[in-house]
Amino acid sequence: QGNVSLTARDEPDTRDYTYFPQADGRKGFKNNSGSGERFFSGLNDLGAGVGANLSLPFRDFTFRAGASTQFQSRTFDARRIGFNYISGSTDGLFLAPEELFAPESFGTLLRVIERTQAADSYVASRLVSAGYVAAEWRTLGEQLRIIGGARFELSNQTLSSQSPFSSQTVVNGEVDRDDPSIIPSLNAVYALTDTLNLRAAYGYTVARPSFRELAPFNYYDFSRRRNVTGNSSLLESRIHHGDLRLEWFFGATELLAVTGFAKSFLNPIEQVISNEQSDVYFANADAATAVGAEIEARVGLGRIAPWLSAFKLGGNATLMHSRVQFDEDTVTLQTNSERPLQGMSPYVLNANLSWAPETWGTAITLSYNIYGPRISDVGFQHLPDTYEQPFRKLDLSATQELGAGVRLKASITNLLDQKLELLQGALTVCEYRPGVAGSLQLEWSI
């Protein structure tokens, strides 16, 4: 197998002007680096990979082996052009943006300056080379299956940051490291009956920091009015996962399953508040644990009445408890010594209702999702954790087969248009409506 992808993004001209209300009712232009700026950026991502897999059955065993390599590179360039107010009179600060930034204001009221920062450009790459071996053993008349194996991965990650438009030099802007990992897994499936299985599994995974999390680039979030900065010292996260699952297949596509699971994280990556302006950066926590349970079900409504046979109902519900663990040096800097892992909700619920007549080539699905409150930004040095409040989402999608491998897809997401709210303690620090979105796709499969 092989794959190639190319992604490009262009932000041609984002303009940011901040005005503050005055006691006399007027609004004054904020004359500092957080206002009066035009931002330009461009990003190009290239991804490519190849892989080969071999499967060899032999008596009660199936042996598998494979190798792959995946390469990703990114080039990012940004430029910031600022405007300084230079007039000796403050009258111009109270002009509307259309007047203050008119061409005739330059040289008398305003001066154009370079505000590009040293880390506003970077080049990054990641090469992950891997090989694996695995075996499946079927015994007790194929009532028991045991699948085990190990994968070796070598990740080489590089990053170099320095803008040609800045006279400053990036500090700690170079990354060049190799991270080898041996990743084992073991699964056992025991058929209690023809339709009832008991599964046990252990897995070990590695989560590597993204380019955005590593790059020392200081991104200004215009909607939140804050800076988001990467951290070139981030470590890989390592995750041990175990679960026990009982599943009942009471129909060809029908299922009822109950799962209990536990996870152990080493060096999980979190988004942490860095100052009183609520700027954030990425950092490794020392460790974390999570335990939980999930129930999943899929059922055809034809069991109720024959005329409902085209309808299927499904969903899953997860309850989870997570805790971050700190060493003695780190815990003194955190606001809360006991808290959940950033981004992890105590509960998640998904439900869907689909209609798909067998002879029409049509499928319509209504999906509902809700998740519980979760930390979006970790509090630091007495600043409270910021919690994203529960959010409900309703989506509608439809697919129609047109023949000859052609398929038409349409979707509308977030039909409820609920407001998303972030609370820091009792203070609402951000709220907005993500909006309702629609898409239309035409696919052709050969």
Side-chain angles (χ1 to χ4, degrees):
Q1 62 87 17
N3 61 84
V4 176
S5 65
L6 178 64
T7 305
R9 189 189 70 193
D10 180 39
E11 188 173 352
D13 188 359
T14 297
R15 308 182 186 192
D16 182 63
Y17 312 122
T18 304
Y19 278 73
F20 280 130
Q22 307 295 309
D24 58 5
R26 297 185 299 168
K27 293 180 180 179
F29 173 67
K30 178 184 177 183
N31 183 37
N32 62 25
S33 59
S35 176
E37 189 169 282
R38 295 173 70 167
F39 180 82
F40 306 80
S41 74
L43 179 148
N44 288 285
D45 256 5
L46 171 66
V50 294
N53 298 281
L54 174 68
S55 179
L56 178 65
F58 179 73
R59 295 183 179 176
D60 294 333
F61 293 86
T62 300
F63 299 96
R64 298 182 179 88
S68 65
T69 183
Q70 189 71 32
F71 176 75
Q72 183 183 4
S73 68
R74 172 177 295 179
T75 301
F76 176 82
D77 292 292
R79 193 166 185 186
R80 308 170 196 260
I81 304 299
F83 307 99
N84 271 3
Y85 187 80
I86 59 174
S87 173
S89 170
T90 60
D91 292 343
L93 293 174
F94 298 96
L95 296 174
E98 294 78 10
E99 298 177 84
L100 178 57
F101 293 92
E104 55 270 20
S105 296
F106 290 90
T108 57
L109 299 179
L110 298 172
R111 178 185 296 133
V112 179
I113 62 170
E114 182 79 59
R115 285 186 183 164
T116 304
Q117 300 175 11
D120 279 352
S121 296
Y122 66 87
V123 177
S125 68
R126 179 189 289 126
L127 177 65
V128 180
S129 302
Y132 78 91
V133 291
E136 178 180 345
W137 179 36
R138 299 171 299 278
T139 185
L140 301 180
E142 299 203 356
Q143 190 175 5
L144 175 64
R145 291 187 299 132
I146 300 176
I147 307 102
R151 176 182 178 91
F152 175 76
E153 290 189 354
L154 178 61
S155 169
N156 173 257
Q157 194 155 15
T158 66
L159 187 142
S160 178
S161 179
Q162 181 62 54
S163 172
F165 300 106
S166 174
S167 59
Q168 304 297 317
T169 301
V170 179
V171 178
N172 297 326
E174 300 290 329
V175 175
D176 188 355
R177 70 188 195 197
D178 293 317
D179 293 307
S181 301
I182 298 177
I183 304 173
S185 67
L186 181 64
N187 294 265
V189 183
Y190 184 72
L192 299 171
T193 69
D194 291 342
T195 60
L196 189 65
N197 287 340
L198 180 64
R199 294 177 178 265
Y202 163 77
Y204 173 75
T205 56
V206 175
R208 300 183 175 92
S210 66
F211 293 146
R212 178 66 195 87
E213 292 170 337
L214 275 177
F217 169 64
N218 187 14
Y219 169 73
Y220 187 67
D221 183 345
F222 291 96
S223 62
R224 295 287 304 275
R225 315 302 302 171
R226 65 179 187 174
N227 294 304
V228 182
T229 308
N231 179 2
S232 58
S233 300
L234 283 177
L235 303 175
E236 290 185 335
S237 299
R238 300 175 181 270
I239 307 160
H240 296 272
H241 174 89
D243 65 66
L244 186 65
R245 177 180 174 95
L246 182 65
E247 51 190 19
W248 176 33
F249 299 93
F250 55 91
T253 60
E254 297 172 308
L255 165 72
L256 178 62
V258 179
T259 306
F261 61 86
K263 298 175 184 288
S264 175
F265 301 83
L266 180 65
N267 300 320
I269 298 172
E270 298 187 301
Q271 186 167 288
V272 181
I273 298 171
S274 60
N275 54 38
E276 293 181 355
Q277 285 72 45
S278 292
D279 294 338
V280 293
Y281 72 107
F282 300 97
N284 291 107
D286 298 313
T289 57
V291 294
E294 179 186 38
I295 183 168
E296 178 184 0
R298 296 194 303 267
V299 63
L301 299 188
R303 291 180 172 273
I304 301 174
W307 62 272
L308 292 174
S309 60
F311 290 90
K312 291 182 175 60
L313 182 65
N316 61 76
T318 303
L319 295 176
M320 186 159 38
H321 175 80
S322 66
R323 275 293 175 265
V324 176
Q325 302 165 3
F326 306 99
D327 62 26
E328 293 182 359
D329 294 331
T330 307
V331 71
T332 58
L333 301 176
Q334 298 281 340
T335 300
N336 296 313
S337 59
E338 293 188 4
R339 61 169 176 81
L341 188 63
Q342 185 249 327
M344 193 164 286
S345 296
Y347 63 87
V348 178
L349 173 65
N350 297 288
N352 62 80
L353 176 65
S354 63
W355 177 69
E358 291 185 3
T359 58
W360 290 21
T362 304
I364 299 175
T365 302
L366 185 67
S367 304
Y368 175 79
N369 165 263
I370 181 174
Y371 55 80
R374 58 191 183 188
I375 296 177
S376 64
D377 303 319
V378 175
F380 198 64
Q381 292 182 333
H382 309 297
L383 295 171
D385 300 324
T386 301
Y387 273 84
E388 180 180 344
Q389 299 306 294
F391 187 79
R392 299 166 182 82
K393 192 165 180 278
L394 186 67
D395 301 335
L396 179 65
S397 64
T399 302
Q400 179 63 55
E401 301 287 347
L402 303 179
V406 180
R407 175 185 299 174
L408 183 65
K409 288 184 174 181
S411 66
I412 303 176
T413 60
N414 196 30
L415 287 166
L416 299 178
D417 195 24
Q418 180 187 330
K419 182 186 297 182
L420 191 147
E421 185 179 18
L422 300 176
L423 295 182
Q424 190 174 23
L427 177 67
T428 299
V429 295
C430 181
E431 60 179 5
Y432 66 94
R433 295 188 185 277
V436 180
S439 68
L440 186 65
Q441 294 175 273
L442 188 64
E443 294 183 357
W444 179 34
S445 300
I446 301 175

PDB file of all heavy atoms in Angstrom, residues 4 74 128 138 160 175 203 228 234 240 278 394 408 418:
ATOM      1  N   VAL A   4      -0.194   9.309  -0.585  1.00  0.00           N
ATOM      2  CA  VAL A   4       0.395  10.635  -0.750  1.00  0.00           C
ATOM      3  C   VAL A   4      -0.692  11.658  -0.450  1.00  0.00           C
ATOM      4  O   VAL A   4      -1.847  11.493  -0.863  1.00  0.00           O
ATOM      5  CB  VAL A   4       0.930  10.862  -2.183  1.00  0.00           C
ATOM      6  CG1 VAL A   4       1.447  12.292  -2.329  1.00  0.00           C
ATOM      7  CG2 VAL A   4       2.035   9.883  -2.514  1.00  0.00           C
ATOM      8  N   ARG A  74       6.448  19.876   6.884  1.00  0.00           N
ATOM      9  CA  ARG A  74       5.641  21.097   6.930  1.00  0.00           C
ATOM     10  C   ARG A  74       6.550  22.316   6.797  1.00  0.00           C
ATOM     11  O   ARG A  74       7.618  22.380   7.409  1.00  0.00           O
ATOM     12  CB  ARG A  74       4.856  21.196   8.232  1.00  0.00           C
ATOM     13  CG  ARG A  74       4.142  22.549   8.420  1.00  0.00           C
ATOM     14  CD  ARG A  74       3.304  22.597   9.679  1.00  0.00           C
ATOM     15  NE  ARG A  74       2.200  21.636   9.607  1.00  0.00           N
ATOM     16  CZ  ARG A  74       1.318  21.457  10.575  1.00  0.00           C
ATOM     17  NH1 ARG A  74       1.403  22.161  11.688  1.00  0.00           N
ATOM     18  NH2 ARG A  74       0.355  20.575  10.445  1.00  0.00           N
ATOM     19  N   VAL A 128       8.618   8.156  10.409  1.00  0.00           N
ATOM     20  CA  VAL A 128       8.344   7.033  11.299  1.00  0.00           C
ATOM     21  C   VAL A 128       8.515   5.747  10.497  1.00  0.00           C
ATOM     22  O   VAL A 128       7.770   5.476   9.554  1.00  0.00           O
ATOM     23  CB  VAL A 128       6.922   7.101  11.886  1.00  0.00           C
ATOM     24  CG1 VAL A 128       6.680   5.900  12.808  1.00  0.00           C
ATOM     25  CG2 VAL A 128       6.720   8.400  12.659  1.00  0.00           C
ATOM     26  N   ARG A 138      -5.661 -20.289  17.190  1.00  0.00           N
ATOM     27  CA  ARG A 138      -7.040 -20.750  17.371  1.00  0.00           C
ATOM     28  C   ARG A 138      -7.003 -22.144  17.992  1.00  0.00           C
ATOM     29  O   ARG A 138      -6.404 -23.071  17.425  1.00  0.00           O
ATOM     30  CB  ARG A 138      -7.774 -20.781  16.033  1.00  0.00           C
ATOM     31  CG  ARG A 138      -7.878 -19.413  15.365  1.00  0.00           C
ATOM     32  CD  ARG A 138      -8.422 -19.506  13.948  1.00  0.00           C
ATOM     33  NE  ARG A 138      -7.575 -20.315  13.078  1.00  0.00           N
ATOM     34  CZ  ARG A 138      -6.486 -19.873  12.473  1.00  0.00           C
ATOM     35  NH1 ARG A 138      -6.084 -18.618  12.646  1.00  0.00           N
ATOM     36  NH2 ARG A 138      -5.768 -20.684  11.708  1.00  0.00           N
ATOM     37  N   SER A 160      13.094  23.320  12.708  1.00  0.00           N
ATOM     38  CA  SER A 160      13.995  24.472  12.712  1.00  0.00           C
ATOM     39  C   SER A 160      13.154  25.725  12.550  1.00  0.00           C
ATOM     40  O   SER A 160      12.307  25.802  11.658  1.00  0.00           O
ATOM     41  CB  SER A 160      15.009  24.359  11.570  1.00  0.00           C
ATOM     42  OG  SER A 160      15.851  25.492  11.542  1.00  0.00           O
ATOM     43  N   VAL A 175      14.878  21.269  16.919  1.00  0.00           N
ATOM     44  CA  VAL A 175      14.551  19.930  17.400  1.00  0.00           C
ATOM     45  C   VAL A 175      15.119  18.920  16.416  1.00  0.00           C
ATOM     46  O   VAL A 175      14.919  19.048  15.206  1.00  0.00           O
ATOM     47  CB  VAL A 175      13.020  19.722  17.525  1.00  0.00           C
ATOM     48  CG1 VAL A 175      12.700  18.286  17.921  1.00  0.00           C
ATOM     49  CG2 VAL A 175      12.420  20.688  18.533  1.00  0.00           C
ATOM     50  N   GLY A 203      -3.056  -3.184  25.350  1.00  0.00           N
ATOM     51  CA  GLY A 203      -2.372  -2.478  24.276  1.00  0.00           C
ATOM     52  C   GLY A 203      -1.482  -1.376  24.823  1.00  0.00           C
ATOM     53  O   GLY A 203      -1.721  -0.839  25.916  1.00  0.00           O
ATOM     54  N   VAL A 228      -1.089  31.509  21.866  1.00  0.00           N
ATOM     55  CA  VAL A 228      -0.939  30.059  22.006  1.00  0.00           C
ATOM     56  C   VAL A 228       0.456  29.710  21.497  1.00  0.00           C
ATOM     57  O   VAL A 228       0.772  29.945  20.331  1.00  0.00           O
ATOM     58  CB  VAL A 228      -2.006  29.293  21.210  1.00  0.00           C
ATOM     59  CG1 VAL A 228      -1.848  27.793  21.413  1.00  0.00           C
ATOM     60  CG2 VAL A 228      -3.413  29.737  21.612  1.00  0.00           C
ATOM     61  N   LEU A 234       8.682  19.219  24.453  1.00  0.00           N
ATOM     62  CA  LEU A 234       7.665  18.211  24.738  1.00  0.00           C
ATOM     63  C   LEU A 234       8.197  16.792  24.526  1.00  0.00           C
ATOM     64  O   LEU A 234       8.968  16.533  23.595  1.00  0.00           O
ATOM     65  CB  LEU A 234       6.447  18.427  23.828  1.00  0.00           C
ATOM     66  CG  LEU A 234       5.495  19.566  24.183  1.00  0.00           C
ATOM     67  CD1 LEU A 234       4.408  19.676  23.127  1.00  0.00           C
ATOM     68  CD2 LEU A 234       4.887  19.369  25.563  1.00  0.00           C
ATOM     69  N   HIS A 240      -0.628   2.877  28.414  1.00  0.00           N
ATOM     70  CA  HIS A 240      -0.975   1.477  28.606  1.00  0.00           C
ATOM     71  C   HIS A 240      -2.494   1.385  28.706  1.00  0.00           C
ATOM     72  O   HIS A 240      -3.114   2.156  29.444  1.00  0.00           O
ATOM     73  CB  HIS A 240      -0.333   0.928  29.876  1.00  0.00           C
ATOM     74  CG  HIS A 240       1.156   0.917  29.844  1.00  0.00           C
ATOM     75  ND1 HIS A 240       1.891  -0.134  29.334  1.00  0.00           N
ATOM     76  CD2 HIS A 240       2.067   1.850  30.254  1.00  0.00           C
ATOM     77  CE1 HIS A 240       3.174   0.126  29.442  1.00  0.00           C
ATOM     78  NE2 HIS A 240       3.314   1.338  29.995  1.00  0.00           N
ATOM     79  N   SER A 278      -4.297  34.791  30.291  1.00  0.00           N
ATOM     80  CA  SER A 278      -4.824  33.492  29.843  1.00  0.00           C
ATOM     81  C   SER A 278      -4.146  32.999  28.569  1.00  0.00           C
ATOM     82  O   SER A 278      -4.730  32.219  27.812  1.00  0.00           O
ATOM     83  CB  SER A 278      -6.348  33.539  29.647  1.00  0.00           C
ATOM     84  OG  SER A 278      -7.000  33.684  30.891  1.00  0.00           O
ATOM     85  N   LEU A 394     -26.439  17.698  17.188  1.00  0.00           N
ATOM     86  CA  LEU A 394     -27.355  16.885  16.387  1.00  0.00           C
ATOM     87  C   LEU A 394     -26.986  17.056  14.923  1.00  0.00           C
ATOM     88  O   LEU A 394     -26.959  18.185  14.411  1.00  0.00           O
ATOM     89  CB  LEU A 394     -28.802  17.320  16.633  1.00  0.00           C
ATOM     90  CG  LEU A 394     -29.890  16.471  15.978  1.00  0.00           C
ATOM     91  CD1 LEU A 394     -29.926  15.076  16.592  1.00  0.00           C
ATOM     92  CD2 LEU A 394     -31.259  17.143  16.121  1.00  0.00           C
ATOM     93  N   LEU A 408     -23.511  10.145  -3.934  1.00  0.00           N
ATOM     94  CA  LEU A 408     -23.762  11.526  -3.528  1.00  0.00           C
ATOM     95  C   LEU A 408     -23.988  11.567  -2.024  1.00  0.00           C
ATOM     96  O   LEU A 408     -24.783  10.795  -1.490  1.00  0.00           O
ATOM     97  CB  LEU A 408     -24.991  12.081  -4.255  1.00  0.00           C
ATOM     98  CG  LEU A 408     -25.340  13.557  -3.983  1.00  0.00           C
ATOM     99  CD1 LEU A 408     -24.247  14.478  -4.502  1.00  0.00           C
ATOM    100  CD2 LEU A 408     -26.694  13.898  -4.604  1.00  0.00           C
ATOM    101  N   GLN A 418     -26.319  25.010  19.576  1.00  0.00           N
ATOM    102  CA  GLN A 418     -26.163  25.363  20.989  1.00  0.00           C
ATOM    103  C   GLN A 418     -24.961  26.288  21.169  1.00  0.00           C
ATOM    104  O   GLN A 418     -23.989  26.248  20.432  1.00  0.00           O
ATOM    105  CB  GLN A 418     -25.965  24.100  21.821  1.00  0.00           C
ATOM    106  CG  GLN A 418     -25.784  24.378  23.313  1.00  0.00           C
ATOM    107  CD  GLN A 418     -25.414  23.126  24.080  1.00  0.00           C
ATOM    108  OE1 GLN A 418     -25.792  22.032  23.700  1.00  0.00           O
ATOM    109  NE2 GLN A 418     -24.664  23.274  25.166  1.00  0.00           N
TER     110      GLN A 418
END
